[in-house]
Amino acid sequence: MEYTNFMSDRVKTMKGSAIREMFKRMADPEIISLAGGNPAAELFPGEELSKIAGKILMTSPTLALQYGTTDGYPAMRECARQRAAKVNSVTDDDAILIMTGANQGIDLTAKAILNKGDKIVVESPSFIGSLNAFRTYEAELVGVTVEDDGMSMEGLEEVLKSDSSIKIIYTIPTFQNPTGTTMSLAKRKRMLELASKYDVLILEDNPYGDLRFSGEDLPTLKSLDTEGRVIYAGSFSKILSPGMRLGYLVAPKPLAEKIEVLKQVNDVHTPMLTQLMCVEFMKKYNIDDYIAKNRDLYGKKCACMVENMEKYFPEGKVKWVVPEGGIFLWCECPTITDISPVVDRCLEKKVAIVPGSNFAIDINAPSNMFRLNYSSATLEKIEEGIKRLGEALTEML
Ligand SMILES: Cc1ncc(COP(=O)(O)O)c(C=O)c1O
């Protein structure tokens, strides 16, 4: 049976994330993965959450197992408001919506704003999950280069000037995925000026903002926004657990109302059990202490990765910028045009990395870059993984 003819044009040419595909190949326990974006499982508060879940199901089974409201359980919305308010000025003009991961928030924001053929400005490179969401709405992705201090503002102005139909910019200003870079304060202010000048919205995606292990925190775009142009996507995935699928949007009320309707269609509401678990966890424990443990561990893991890159990578053949937080390190190999053979050689050596093409606007164009993740592997595995990667790079560059 041939199914392609039954498929919508929207999905016919779509490809799944190569990272997810790689996960399937990584069933081999000998493979060291520096490829995914998983937080450190060794710090998951499994015991605490198991007690909390048991108590909820014993004492409030109806609340946990019954349908809930689409915008989120009120106490969970308050938890999200508290997290958002730590870095943002959440005003009476904003609504908070609990999302099934920030991913859903980004997807539904795109659905609420983009018509087929609309252009959306994105960082180049950017997070594949969001790029794929924009692709499903048949939007045209307009990439603007990411520099060491965030998106190029000259590039952004050029793009906005050239097309007055652009409605929205998508950005991950802090510890960007995949580059690990952070947008400078000057650029944050400039982006807001440009958004105002060319009358566009900004979707600020900030799942890693709490994970700074060196340098100074910078204000979010949302906190600098005086015109209600920023829709802010937050997540509990990297500060509590990705499997609980808890994220949120802080959005101007008129937009939030439409996004809520889309969520109703999409999944009715985010599971009540994990919302209740998060509320109880935040009541019982200081989540900032838990986040601080993650931050410290990621600082150590990042330092270990960099130290071993300096030791094992062929000298002068690989460039990188050391991140100040988050979970990713981005590398460029200026002497080659396509990293794919190195990625394949790495898999033979049982270490997985992600080629830069995955995060590109044109996924078919070759890339000489690759992304490394340091949050999920242990220190020993990071050292061994970087050693194997170093051997592959030395052989092939
Ligand atoms: C930049 C970025 N945005 C959003 C997400 C999705 O987060 P969530 O698990 O909350 O859906 C991720 C996950 O890796 C990410 O890297």
Side-chain angles (χ1 to χ4, degrees), residues 19 25 83 93 106 119 125 147 164 196 230 247 259 274 280 284 323 337 354 384 390:
I19 306 168
R25 292 165 71 180
R83 292 306 316 161
D93 297 331
I106 293 158
K119 290 181 179 163
E147 298 165 334
S164 62
S196 179
V230 178
I259 295 169
T274 55
E280 279 310 302
K284 223 168 159 196
T337 51
V354 192
E384 178 57 28

Side-chain angles (χ1 to χ4, degrees), residues 101-103 106 127 170 172 177 205 207-208 235 237-238 245-246 328:
N103 237 318
I106 293 158
F127 170 49
Y170 168 70
I172 312 157
N177 182 1
D205 184 13
Y208 304 108
S235 175
S237 286
K238 305 300 189 303
R245 305 307 302 129
L246 295 171
F328 299 116

Side-chain angles (χ1 to χ4, degrees), residues 249-264:
L249 284 179
V250 184
K253 280 179 180 162
L255 287 172
E257 269 170 34
K258 300 293 180 195
I259 295 169
E260 190 178 334
V261 178
L262 293 174
K263 181 168 166 67
Q264 221 164 61

